[in-house]
Amino acid sequence: MPNYQEAIQWIHSREKFKVKPGLKRMEWMMEELGHPEKKLNAIHIAGTNGKGSTVTFLSNLLQTQGYDVGTFTSPYIIRFNERISVNGEAIPDGELADLVEQIKPLAEKLQATSLGEPTEFEIITAMAMLYFSQKKLDFVLFETGLGGRFDSTNILLPLLSVITNIGLDHINILGNTREQIAYEKAGIIKTNTPLITGVKEKSVLRVLKEQASVSKAPMSILGEDFQVEYKKSSLEGESFEFINSSFYSGDLLSPMKGRHQVDNAALALQTMEQLKQMGVDINRTKYSKGLLRTYWPARFETICTNPVTIIDGAHNEEGTQALADTMKRHFSGKRVHLIYSALEDKPVKNMLEVLKEVVDVAYMTTFEFPRAMTGSELTELSPIADTITVPDYVQAIRQAMSMMNREDVLLITGSLYFISEIRKYFEY
């Protein structure tokens, strides 16, 4: 029996990508495991940004109703185990090691076939499906890893599909226009399965509508079939109201900060409303409590108060724009120090151009990761006038803090993998 460390090492030693994407390897593994995916009441969530936040809103809303909820998310922020969680609790080390013991012989058997061995993400997805089926949960929420059509989670036959929004990310894999990326994300739309979406761009929405029409999937669109009215930002979070044809919420509060989080909360609420319409026992008076218990690390998270230090995993243009807007809303007039590290396949120049509006001084740094850019490479791309290169991120934190006044704000962002490292630093 493998121990936890051996199990994790084995998972991470799997291939990351296949030349030929597809669902054949997942289908083969599910067949061998007795089709655990068919035993799940699943809700499938895709999108460029907002997947993790929407999942956590929805998980808390369902738990507040008394339901047991599994969540499959990526990447992790603190520990790998978070990716497979039940009622907000990450899978225990021993149970994860047991799952690897069950999946490993299958992976070896599959490797001997013409399909070849499964990828790391396929392994983790299969583990989650097996684990959740063993736990006999009321609902499971599955976040896609990449795209949708060929994503390993797409073997699910969900109760509902949710597409948060669509922007330019992973263009080397999914396509370099929003419409091409929308086509990949729309791959999660299933026949006669309701779709809820927060997509606003007309050309992108057209792609989703076409696929929904072909699949005879009823569609609920934010801004058309349900509305969210943003009220104000405060230290507690974002105040808003939710409205659809049969329900008006009155005042609600999202503790997750940022105007975009109001849209994510609305998607989760409309999903609850859709479940209610499908006959699930849902008490609307508990919505407010469900939202208030929602927390998602590294989403405009205050990790330190002296000085105020915000971490955010904004790793693409849309996420960075949302971050800049939230900084303006909550820290207007404050002097902002930025610590930044990003991966080489990201539109760094454009992202820093957005951050330039809210940042006074920037420290470009790096961290241990295969595709991480160096501090000096980032400095070359930085349009922020006062940009300093600091090769070591721990030194960057210390240097920034030594230069800050009590009223200043420290913002750390760029890559979710970087934020994971930063969180560990602040915990010790």
Side-chain angles (χ1 to χ4, degrees), residues 149 166 178-187 207-208 211:
R149 191 161 58 105
I166 290 168
R178 282 180 171 79
E179 292 77 14
Q180 285 173 323
I181 293 170
Y183 173 72
E184 294 300 327
K185 309 270 188 202
V207 175
L208 299 191
Q211 186 55 52

Side-chain angles (χ1 to χ4, degrees), residues 339-391:
I339 295 175
Y340 193 85
S341 187
L343 305 185
E344 61 191 18
D345 57 349
K346 299 293 180 178
V348 168
K349 196 172 176 58
N350 294 356
M351 296 195 296
L352 288 171
E353 197 66 55
V354 172
L355 289 171
K356 180 182 169 188
E357 298 175 32
V358 295
V359 168
D360 297 284
V361 54
Y363 300 83
M364 298 294 147
T365 190
T366 192
F367 66 112
E368 281 286 324
F369 197 79
R371 291 174 289 125
M373 295 177 72
T374 65
S376 52
E377 285 170 340
L378 289 164
T379 298
E380 280 180 36
L381 296 172
S382 176
I384 299 161
D386 195 353
T387 296
I388 301 156
T389 307
V390 186

Side-chain angles (χ1 to χ4, degrees), residues 272-295:
M272 296 294 285
E273 289 288 293
Q274 184 69 53
L275 289 170
K276 185 176 176 68
Q277 202 176 315
M278 292 161 74
V280 176
D281 186 14
I282 302 285
N283 180 348
R284 286 166 166 164
T285 64
K286 293 182 177 178
Y287 284 171
S288 179
K289 186 182 174 188
L291 294 173
L292 285 172
R293 61 183 269 179
T294 299
Y295 158 77

Side-chain angles (χ1 to χ4, degrees), residues 40-221:
L40 306 175
N41 288 325
I43 296 168
H44 201 189
I45 296 138
T48 303
N49 295 303
K51 294 191 295 291
S53 299
T54 303
V55 164
T56 199
F57 276 126
L58 188 50
S59 175
N60 282 288
L61 285 164
L62 286 166
Q63 285 174 64
T64 305
Q65 300 285 334
Y67 294 116
D68 289 320
V69 185
T71 54
F72 178 71
T73 56
S74 60
Y76 64 92
I77 302 297
I78 306 160
R79 288 193 83 220
F80 177 87
N81 302 40
E82 294 162 36
R83 298 184 66 170
I84 302 172
S85 295
V86 172
N87 294 337
E89 294 293 320
I91 180 172
D93 292 357
E95 294 193 62
L96 187 139
D98 290 344
L99 284 174
V100 165
E101 192 175 14
Q102 291 176 73
I103 297 284
K104 191 177 177 183
L106 282 187
E108 288 163 356
K109 191 173 169 186
L110 182 52
Q111 187 173 3
T113 72
S114 59
L115 294 171
E117 70 169 339
T119 64
E120 179 180 350
F121 193 72
E122 287 167 343
I123 293 280
I124 302 163
T125 307
M127 285 168 58
M129 288 176 175
L130 185 58
Y131 184 66
F132 293 150
S133 71
Q134 291 166 351
K135 292 292 176 189
K136 297 182 170 52
L137 303 169
D138 297 304
F139 297 98
V140 295
L141 314 179
F142 268 85
E143 189 186 305
T144 58
L146 191 63
R149 191 161 58 105
F150 291 133
D151 192 79
S152 61
T153 60
N154 206 26
I155 55 161
L156 289 167
L157 293 171
L159 301 169
L160 294 167
S161 306
V162 179
I163 297 177
T164 56
N165 65 9
I166 290 168
L168 295 172
D169 200 7
H170 301 294
I171 57 176
N172 53 333
I173 297 166
L174 299 178
N176 54 16
T177 69
R178 282 180 171 79
E179 292 77 14
Q180 285 173 323
I181 293 170
Y183 173 72
E184 294 300 327
K185 309 270 188 202
I188 73 162
I189 299 170
K190 303 291 192 307
T191 306
N192 297 321
T193 302
L195 169 69
I196 296 157
T197 185
V199 165
K200 292 172 182 169
E201 200 173 322
K202 284 193 171 71
S203 61
V204 174
L205 208 45
R206 197 177 307 120
V207 175
L208 299 191
K209 284 179 175 175
E210 281 170 13
Q211 186 55 52
S213 174
V214 169
S215 302
K216 298 183 171 56
M219 197 170 172
S220 298
I221 302 165

Side-chain angles (χ1 to χ4, degrees), residues 53-54 56-58 60-61 64 230 232-240 251-266 268-269 286-302 310-312 326 330-331:
S53 299
T54 303
T56 199
F57 276 126
L58 188 50
N60 282 288
L61 285 164
T64 305
Y230 167 80
K232 64 173 184 179
S233 296
S234 66
L235 283 173
E236 285 73 41
E238 314 296 340
S239 301
F240 70 99
D251 284 346
L252 294 171
L253 180 72
S254 158
M256 305 258 284
K257 289 177 180 168
R259 172 67 183 81
H260 57 294
Q261 293 295 5
V262 168
D263 287 352
N264 296 330
L269 287 165
K286 293 182 177 178
Y287 284 171
S288 179
K289 186 182 174 188
L291 294 173
L292 285 172
R293 61 183 269 179
T294 299
Y295 158 77
W296 192 234
R299 303 311 191 273
F300 207 79
E301 181 185 5
T302 303
I310 304 293
I311 59 171
D312 194 285
T326 309
H330 286 274
F331 296 113

